[in-house]
Amino acid sequence: MANFYRTKQWKRKRSNILKRDEYQCRECKRYGKVTTATIAHHCYPLDKYPEYKLDSRTLISLCGTCHNQMHDRITDELTDKGLKWMERISPLLND
Ligand SMILES: [Zn+2]
């Protein structure tokens, strides 16, 4: 999957997502903070949900700090915060 992040398709998607979110971290925004986003995060982890790898509905812009809080550094699983985002956007996938 590491190669995926080097593809043209992903690079284009990533920059579209950051632009869509006005380069602001969506997690910080929930707390009324404006922080520059640098990462497009897959709310549905790429390894488990490859079908959503380029689906804008499942991608959110995050700052580096918030992104680190979405993944457990040791197990690489989503943290509670990460799982919350999965839950939060799941209604978007129902139509
Ligand atoms: Zn943030």
Side-chain angles (χ1 to χ4, degrees):
M1 281 305 179
N3 285 332
F4 168 72
Y5 290 107
R6 297 204 193 104
T7 62
K8 251 188 211 150
Q9 279 171 309
W10 168 248
K11 286 179 183 167
R12 193 181 313 129
K13 178 60 72 179
R14 178 188 169 277
S15 88
N16 286 342
I17 294 298
L18 290 171
K19 197 183 289 173
R20 179 198 69 190
D21 293 338
E22 299 172 320
Y23 304 94
Q24 290 176 15
C25 174
R26 299 269 302 268
E27 176 70 6
C28 284
K29 210 170 193 173
R30 298 183 56 239
Y31 300 95
K33 273 196 297 175
V34 176
T35 309
T36 302
T38 51
I39 290 157
H41 167 65
H42 283 101
C43 293
Y44 281 69
L46 182 59
D47 55 341
K48 294 194 183 110
Y49 301 92
E51 67 270 37
Y52 293 137
K53 65 182 178 185
L54 291 167
D55 190 326
S56 301
R57 298 173 301 177
T58 67
L59 290 160
I60 57 166
S61 301
L62 292 176
C63 69
T65 306
C66 288
H67 189 237
N68 282 337
Q69 292 170 358
M70 299 294 160
H71 298 277
D72 185 302
R73 310 282 261 154
I74 296 158
T75 63
D76 207 34
E77 296 289 320
L78 287 176
T79 59
D80 286 351
K81 243 178 207 234
L83 291 168
K84 282 264 167 55
W85 268 105
M86 217 170 136
E87 239 175 76
R88 203 169 279 135
I89 61 150
S90 66
L92 300 176
L93 304 174
N94 290 336
D95 43 85

